[in-house]
């Protein structure tokens, strides 16, 4: 199913279902004393279906729960996104449920499979990382877990999803989403009583673990680059990630502006090559920008590197320029400097937890997507992203390369 279909189903089917099921949920919680007892986090399931980047942002929170409670962690995610969990391997592979959202029937079948899986795994607590999804609230309740931790709108209007979450935490739209995720963990650990997260969160709690990249992987990546571009003589590698997911296509900076920056970089720096990255399905889109740059030192690698090869690729590169998308977060598990182009969203909430620097205009209308509108915008002209000038981007990248004494 595409994103808009999912949003409509979540609204028109999810809201009535949450309303109908809420009385049964209330009675079940009353009989089991679920609201008054401390969560049993020994077998905790995290739900984050649709965002690969958010799964990485949640990693410090998951590790905190494991560190402070010795919990066994489980995760449910859409099948197309599960690779993001393999970057740091915080969740064992056998503890990940991959849900197929290819069409309504496959999704419905996997929902019933999920219910059986939860009971087989004896899930005791669910932590819903999604921002006000009725679908994940329903999954939380039907998992059978006594404690269900998730975000609540509290006194804010809208975003109704019944009372299926019995350990609610007020979502704060003014702080980084990573802080919100750790607030859910603090609630599960019983560190505060009501819906307000009153426990201070130290910046060190947002530190992301670094991927372990062995020398063998580095050698393999260099060999693959040499095969892709036989003339490569160990020049510095600059990465351009020009696409963004279909979840929010408004995040894409113009192809011609990526091309302008690429051309200027190659004209001004002899000791670099540009490797264009992307998934196999993005190959044609990436090739269009590669052709616009029109230089043999610019190589289209979309679909060439396996997902598990991204961390080694990032480890041997100098920097990456990218739209606000998954690769910006994948690179956060390495020391790679990442320049991220933000438009309809804001770096205040979604800046990657690694060595990241944003380009962001901060227009009065920005950000236009949020939890309150389920990250949907009808803006077509997108001045928040299209207004970022290539000259400004190039000047910053040029300065960075000069600081690294790259010519």
């Amino acid at each position: 199913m595409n994103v808009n279909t999912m949003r409509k189903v979540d609204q028109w089917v999810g809201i009535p279902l949450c309303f109908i099921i809420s009385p049964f949920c209330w009675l079940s919680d009353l009989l089991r004393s679920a609201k008054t007892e401390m969560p049993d986090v020994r077998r905790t399931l995290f739900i984050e279906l649709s965002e690969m980047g958010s799964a990485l942002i949640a990693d410090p929170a998951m590790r905190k729960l494991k560190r402070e409670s010795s919990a066994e962690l489980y995760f449910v995610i859409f099948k197309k996104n599960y690779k993001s969990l393999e970057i740091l391997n915080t969740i064992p592979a056998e503890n990940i449920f991959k849900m197929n959202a290819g069409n309504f029937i496959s999704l419905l079948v996997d929902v019933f499979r999920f219910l059986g899986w939860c009971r087989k795994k004896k899930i005791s607590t669910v932590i819903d990382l999604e921002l006000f999804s009725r679908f994940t609230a329903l999954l939380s309740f039907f998992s059978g877990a006594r404690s269900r931790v998730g975000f609540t709108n509290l006194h804010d209007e809208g975003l109704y999803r019944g009372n299926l979450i019995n350990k609610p935490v007020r979502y704060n739209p003014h702080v980084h989403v990573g802080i919100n995720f750790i607030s859910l963990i603090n609630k599960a650990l019983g560190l505060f009583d009501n819906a307000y997260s009153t426990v201070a969160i130290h910046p060190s709690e947002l530190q992301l673990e670094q991927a372990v990249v062995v020398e063998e992987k580095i050698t393999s990546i260099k060999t693959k680059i040499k095969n892709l571009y036989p003339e490569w003589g160990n020049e510095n590698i600059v990465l351009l990630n020009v696409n963004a997911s279909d979840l929010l296509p408004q995040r894409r900076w113009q192809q011609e502006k990526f091309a302008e920056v690429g051309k200027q970089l190659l004209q001004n720096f002899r000791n670099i090559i540009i490797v264009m990255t992307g998934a196999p399905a993005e190959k044609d889109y990436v090739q269009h920008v590669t052709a616009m740059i029109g230089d043999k030192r610019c190589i289209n690698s979309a679909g060439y590197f396996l997902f598990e090869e991204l961390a080694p690729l990032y480890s041997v590169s100098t920097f990456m320029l990218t739209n606000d998308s998954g690769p910006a977060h994948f690179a956060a598990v390495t020391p790679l400097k990442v320049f991220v182009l933000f438009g309809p969203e804001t770096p205040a909430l979604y800046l990657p937890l690694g060595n990241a620097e944003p380009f962001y205009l901060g227009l009065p209308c920005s950000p236009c997507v949020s939890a309150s509108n389920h990250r949907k915008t009808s803006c077509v002209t997108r001045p928040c992203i299209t207004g970022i000038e290539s000259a400004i981007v190039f000047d910053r990248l040029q300065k960075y390369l000069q600081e690294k004494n790259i010519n």
Side-chain angles (χ1 to χ4, degrees):
M1 290 190 292
N2 62 42
V3 175
N4 280 328
T5 300
M6 289 182 180
R7 287 192 181 108
K8 289 177 181 177
V9 171
D10 195 66
Q11 179 181 4
W12 296 108
V13 178
I15 291 177
L17 279 178
C18 288
F19 179 79
I20 292 169
I21 293 170
S22 284
F24 299 98
C25 178
W26 174 84
L27 181 60
S28 173
D29 287 345
L30 180 66
L31 295 175
R32 297 197 293 174
S33 303
K35 288 189 176 182
T36 57
E37 290 188 2
M38 271 280 295
D40 175 6
V41 297
R42 286 176 295 177
R43 303 174 76 83
T44 297
L45 170 69
F46 289 87
I47 301 180
E48 172 56 67
L49 300 177
S50 58
E51 277 282 357
M52 298 180 79
S54 291
L56 272 172
I57 293 175
D59 196 79
M62 294 190 293
R63 287 178 182 264
K64 176 176 182 176
L65 180 64
K66 188 174 183 179
R67 183 174 62 249
E68 298 191 10
S69 70
S70 299
E72 185 171 4
L73 306 185
Y74 300 81
F75 209 103
V76 56
I77 192 169
F78 284 149
K79 187 176 182 179
K80 64 179 182 179
N81 296 332
Y82 86 93
K83 284 286 188 180
S84 59
L85 296 174
E86 294 184 341
I87 295 178
L88 293 175
N89 291 313
T90 302
I91 310 292
E94 63 271 18
N95 289 0
I96 301 173
F97 186 91
K98 304 160 192 172
M99 192 167 284
N100 186 355
N103 57 66
F104 183 77
I105 299 299
S106 63
L107 181 60
L108 188 62
V109 169
D110 270 4
V111 166
F112 285 103
R113 285 184 54 243
F114 169 75
L115 302 187
W117 181 83
C118 287
R119 281 149 183 82
K120 181 179 178 181
K121 300 294 184 180
K122 299 179 180 178
I123 300 299
S124 57
T125 292
V126 170
I127 298 180
D128 184 359
L129 300 171
E130 292 278 0
L131 303 183
F132 303 102
S133 161
R134 289 97 187 186
F135 179 57
T136 56
L138 290 162
L139 289 181
S140 299
F141 174 67
F142 285 114
S143 71
R146 174 180 292 186
S147 297
R148 302 177 299 278
V149 184
F151 294 118
T152 179
N153 55 337
L154 210 57
H155 300 298
D156 300 330
E157 295 185 7
L159 303 176
Y160 174 83
R161 55 178 184 169
N163 62 354
L164 306 188
I165 299 297
N166 60 16
K167 303 289 183 183
V169 176
R170 178 183 175 268
Y171 171 72
N172 187 346
H174 306 290
V175 301
H176 196 277
V177 70
I179 294 175
N180 280 290
F181 288 161
I182 291 178
S183 294
L184 295 178
I185 300 303
N186 289 342
K187 180 69 172 183
L189 293 172
L191 300 185
F192 57 92
D193 295 327
N194 57 31
Y196 293 98
S197 180
T198 54
V199 178
I201 295 173
H202 193 272
S204 63
E205 296 186 70
L206 291 175
Q207 293 296 312
L208 194 64
E209 291 290 316
Q210 295 293 282
V212 177
V213 181
V214 298
E215 191 60 35
E216 179 184 353
K217 295 290 186 181
I218 297 292
T219 302
S220 175
I221 287 297
K222 289 183 177 180
T223 300
K224 292 191 75 169
I225 294 174
K226 187 74 173 178
N227 290 339
L228 193 63
Y229 178 53
E231 297 178 42
W232 183 51
N234 290 317
E235 292 89 354
N236 295 275
I237 300 166
V238 169
L239 304 177
L240 296 189
N241 180 65
V242 302
N243 207 354
S245 75
D246 293 333
L247 181 65
L248 192 60
Q250 287 86 350
R251 291 183 292 193
R252 294 174 183 141
W253 201 38
Q254 301 102 304
Q255 291 175 302
E256 58 269 23
K257 288 189 175 180
F258 269 112
E260 288 172 14
V261 171
K263 283 180 180 178
Q264 288 182 303
L265 286 172
L266 293 173
Q267 289 170 2
N268 287 272
F269 296 90
R270 299 185 306 276
N271 196 30
I272 67 168
I273 65 169
I274 293 177
V275 176
M276 311 286 287
T277 65
E282 300 168 347
K283 189 169 184 177
D284 290 342
Y285 187 93
V286 174
Q287 180 57 36
H288 183 66
V289 181
T290 305
M292 291 172 71
I293 293 174
D295 191 302
K296 66 178 183 179
R297 290 187 292 148
C298 177
I299 309 110
N300 180 2
S301 75
Y304 181 68
F305 294 103
L306 302 175
F307 189 89
E308 52 267 28
E309 293 177 316
L310 292 182
L313 174 64
Y314 297 151
S315 298
V316 302
S317 301
T318 302
F319 72 78
M320 175 165 62
L321 174 66
T322 175
N323 290 312
D324 170 29
S325 59
H329 298 281
F330 306 153
V333 303
T334 73
L336 180 68
K337 179 72 173 182
V338 180
F339 296 94
V340 190
L341 297 149
F342 277 88
E345 291 190 303
T346 168
L349 301 186
Y350 285 101
L351 188 69
L353 298 179
N355 185 13
E357 180 178 327
F359 291 104
Y360 182 57
L361 295 180
L363 299 182
C365 58
S366 299
C368 63
V369 298
S370 65
S372 61
N373 59 22
H374 295 282
R375 302 176 73 188
K376 183 175 182 178
T377 177
S378 56
C379 181
V380 177
T381 55
R382 308 177 299 127
C384 59
I385 187 76
T386 61
I388 299 176
E389 296 298 336
S390 57
I392 294 174
V393 174
F394 171 71
D395 286 346
R396 178 65 188 101
L397 301 184
Q398 177 178 238
K399 183 179 179 182
Y400 181 78
L401 288 173
Q402 290 170 344
E403 290 169 354
K404 295 292 183 180
N405 294 317
I406 296 173
N407 54 39

